[in-house]
Amino acid sequence: MTALPDLEAMAIFAKVVELKSFSGAADELKLSKATVSKAVTRLEARLGARLFNRTSRRLALTEAGLRLAEPATRLLADGQAAEDEILAQSAQPRGLVRLASPMSFGLLEVAPLLPDFLTAYPEVSVDLHMSDEAVDLIGLGFDMALRIAALPDSSLLARKIGQVPRHVVAAPAYLAARGRPTHPAHLAEHACLGYAYLPTPETWRFINGAGEEVSVRPAGPLRANNAEALVPALEAGLGLALQPDFIVGESLAAGRLEAVLTDWRPPPVALHLVMPPGGPRPARVEVLAQFLVRRLSERCAIRGPGSTGSAV
């Protein structure tokens, strides 16, 4: 009888190929580096061919390794998909969910909700990755992401959670010194602080109640790739900025900042939950998705389109 393939060693080999590292594979698989090394050595002995050329600084696939990499990777993916399908039918969600979120929104809105979720689902763990740059969900292995944007067409599945109000804001001292703009065209005379990940960072667009549209090109002394980083400069009176309510709501309510151009609104942006296509999804993913949609929908409803206060 022919011996069964060493599926465990092939799966470990596939993980080493994916991460280009024995130690990285060991960390992700929660195995010792010696166990990972022995599995690859065992596979090489079974196949009678070296799979990697290894030096202290470099790990490269041999010709045999290149031939084996694709089927081994497919085997690992199929095995993980099979386990996920069974876990999706489990009554008790368990396992790791990888969630991506914009940085400030993750800190201010998502992180405060997670204790309730983790208490309700003690066998689920969450890896929260926060960055204002849109991550590649499929390429980087994320289960879902929260995005604040007008989403482009893509293969991702998106569910709209709610609108995100935005305001042009400035400190009372700035407005006293420089004047209060009443039309978007007046922004050319003001110091405008910029956020790099606005839908159109080089151009601010506005619409009034009559449907008139105006575009301006802001300029000022500071631009950042995180909107919350602009708040100290705003409160110090260094300029105006276009900011989401969840970042400046408390400053507006406390009077440290004031909203201007209230008769003109930037085009609406919405909060979406996006997920890679396909299914069924593991129960751990579904319960987190449902929890986030429910709780964040409530917070969006509290704010409303014209809110100037933080959600509770």
Side-chain angles (χ1 to χ4, degrees), residues 170-181 190 234 237-240 256 258 260:
Y174 176 88
L175 298 174
R178 300 287 297 273
R180 181 182 297 266
H190 287 268
L234 283 168
L238 296 183
L240 306 101
R256 296 189 298 273
E258 295 181 13
V260 299

Side-chain angles (χ1 to χ4, degrees), residues 1-142:
M1 177 179 177
T2 304
L4 290 172
D6 191 341
L7 301 179
E8 179 186 50
M10 290 184 69
I12 291 173
F13 164 75
K15 186 59 67 173
V16 175
V17 172
E18 175 189 343
L19 299 176
K20 300 180 178 63
S21 167
F22 277 66
S23 59
D27 289 342
E28 184 156 321
L29 295 172
K30 294 181 172 57
L31 300 172
S32 68
K33 186 176 178 181
T35 299
V36 171
S37 181
K38 286 177 182 178
V40 173
T41 299
R42 187 172 74 240
L43 190 59
E44 289 176 331
R46 181 185 179 96
L47 298 175
R50 182 183 294 275
L51 300 175
F52 293 102
N53 287 319
R54 287 171 262 184
T55 69
S56 60
R57 295 186 177 180
R58 190 163 180 261
L59 185 68
L61 287 166
T62 64
E63 182 178 352
L66 287 169
R67 289 200 304 271
L68 184 62
E70 183 178 348
T73 299
R74 188 166 57 247
L75 172 71
L76 176 60
D78 289 347
Q80 290 173 331
E83 285 188 352
D84 285 343
E85 185 171 356
I86 299 303
L87 286 171
Q89 300 170 12
S90 170
Q92 181 62 43
R94 59 175 59 88
L96 176 67
V97 184
R98 301 193 68 214
L99 166 66
S101 170
M103 175 65 75
S104 294
F105 190 79
L107 288 169
L108 299 173
E109 302 287 342
V110 180
L113 300 179
L114 291 181
D116 286 349
F117 175 79
L118 296 172
T119 299
Y121 297 98
E123 295 189 54
V124 178
S125 56
V126 178
D127 179 358
L128 176 60
H129 173 91
M130 293 181 292
S131 171
D132 284 0
E133 187 173 5
V135 299
D136 179 356
L137 264 66
I138 297 173
L140 296 176
F142 284 95

